[in-house]
Amino acid sequence: MGGDRLENKTSVSVASWSSLNARMDNRFATAFVIACVLSLISTIYMAASIGTDFWYEYRSPIQENSSDLNKSIWEDFISDEADEKTYNDVLFRYNGTVGLWRRCITIPKNTHWYSPPERTESFDVVTKCMSFTLTEQFMEKFVDPGNHNSGIDLLRTYLWRCQFLLPFVSLGLMCFGALIGLCACICRSLYPTIATGILHLLAGLCTLGSVSCYVAGIELLHQKLELPENVSGEFGWSFCLACVSAPLQFMASALFIWAAHTNRKEYTLMKAYRVA
């Protein structure tokens, strides 16, 4: 009789432990899946942000004529030797957009040296872009843009370099974290995902730092080079994608770390309960 009671008690304990363990596995698996989805979305947003040219956009009246002066300005814009002031002046005048890698302007499609073209409802324009070279990315910024004798502006110089490098660091950290997460799935263990969570946290900080550096750099630039009359500027959708990517990375990080840490803690408690 006593043996039957002990056996029944043991069976109930095993069944209770198995049911509780299954509920915990479902909860952690759900958190892990949500974190993976957030991580994937933030990676796509960050990659799209890096690869597009709409971090900042200028709005100005379209220059309808194509005088020799305008042609000269366009040639200066696409020149490899264009300094900061030169290409920014062109961006101001010709509806420019700026990305991390390229700068673009919108100009009339057909040029006429003798007279401006007639204005029509469908005025044809074309977008021309010029890539920043690595030399330009790491070139010093001057206190007076375009004046090489005005001294180096260290703050703007390092803000520009950080806004260029940090998004790539962020993307690399997320890819490395995804690799660790894949290994965790293969090993059927959530504990390694704590490293994935930490990497996503660092990636979010890098993204946030990049966005902050970009905003500060734009504000400092506009203090040096004031926008002409009838010209306005605003942050573009590429910048917004980076802004959205940062909180997604933080949320994914929190879920990864919570799932890994709590799963490890409760597994230890269940192991102790099973032994008892």
Side-chain angles (χ1 to χ4, degrees):
M1 182 69 68
D4 293 339
R5 289 180 179 178
L6 180 61
E7 184 178 353
N8 291 335
K9 185 177 180 180
T10 302
S11 299
V12 171
S13 298
V14 172
S16 177
W17 180 84
S18 299
S19 176
L20 182 59
N21 190 39
R23 289 198 300 270
M24 285 192 307
D25 288 343
N26 290 335
R27 186 176 59 178
F28 297 140
T30 301
F32 183 76
V33 170
I34 294 174
C36 289
V37 171
L38 292 174
S39 175
L40 178 61
I41 295 174
S42 65
T43 302
I44 293 173
Y45 282 3
M46 199 66 224
S49 176
I50 292 174
T52 50
D53 310 317
F54 297 91
W55 279 66
Y56 201 84
E57 304 177 31
Y58 294 100
R59 294 286 181 265
S60 59
I62 296 177
Q63 304 292 326
E64 298 186 15
N65 64 347
S66 183
S67 63
D68 292 338
L69 175 61
N70 288 335
K71 289 182 179 180
S72 175
I73 291 176
W74 300 338
E75 290 174 359
D76 290 340
F77 178 79
I78 63 176
S79 172
D80 293 334
E81 299 178 356
D83 58 36
E84 186 181 22
K85 185 178 186 306
T86 300
Y87 68 72
N88 273 296
D89 285 342
V90 181
L91 290 172
F92 295 162
R93 294 184 57 183
Y94 293 96
N95 293 286
T97 61
V98 186
L100 297 180
W101 279 97
R102 297 196 306 173
R103 55 186 186 267
C104 302
I105 56 174
T106 302
I107 60 176
K109 184 176 182 181
N110 299 317
T111 58
H112 304 268
W113 64 268
Y114 50 88
S115 64
E118 294 182 1
R119 179 72 178 185
T120 61
E121 293 182 358
S122 58
F123 188 75
D124 292 333
V125 294
V126 63
T127 300
K128 289 189 177 182
C129 297
M130 182 66 185
S131 298
F132 291 107
T133 64
L134 284 177
T135 302
E136 288 177 319
Q137 296 285 11
F138 293 98
M139 186 179 294
E140 294 84 0
K141 305 296 180 183
F142 297 99
V143 175
D144 182 13
N147 184 0
H148 293 214
N149 298 321
S150 60
I152 298 174
D153 190 333
L154 292 178
L155 179 58
R156 290 201 309 120
T157 297
Y158 286 104
L159 284 174
W160 182 278
R161 293 175 182 177
C162 288
Q163 77 182 29
F164 166 69
L165 291 174
L166 288 178
F168 291 98
V169 175
S170 174
L171 199 58
L173 288 172
M174 284 192 292
C175 292
F176 187 52
L179 182 61
I180 295 177
L182 180 61
C183 293
C185 291
I186 295 175
C187 297
R188 296 184 178 181
S189 172
L190 282 175
Y191 192 66
T193 57
I194 193 169
T196 302
I198 293 173
L199 290 175
H200 276 70
L201 176 61
L202 295 176
L205 291 174
C206 288
T207 303
L208 189 61
S210 175
V211 168
S212 301
C213 289
Y214 195 85
V215 172
I218 286 291
E219 292 299 325
L220 290 174
L221 174 64
H222 290 166
Q223 290 178 10
K224 306 287 184 180
L225 298 175
E226 294 185 2
L227 295 178
E229 188 178 357
N230 298 326
V231 175
S232 61
E234 61 184 12
F235 293 100
W237 60 267
S238 299
F239 175 83
C240 294
L241 287 179
C243 291
V244 173
S245 179
L248 292 178
Q249 292 165 345
F250 288 133
M251 287 188 287
S253 171
L255 286 173
F256 279 130
I257 294 176
W258 174 83
H261 177 72
T262 309
N263 179 65
R264 183 69 175 179
K265 183 178 179 180
E266 295 196 10
Y267 174 77
T268 303
L269 292 175
M270 287 298 100
K271 186 176 181 181
Y273 173 75
R274 187 177 183 183
V275 170

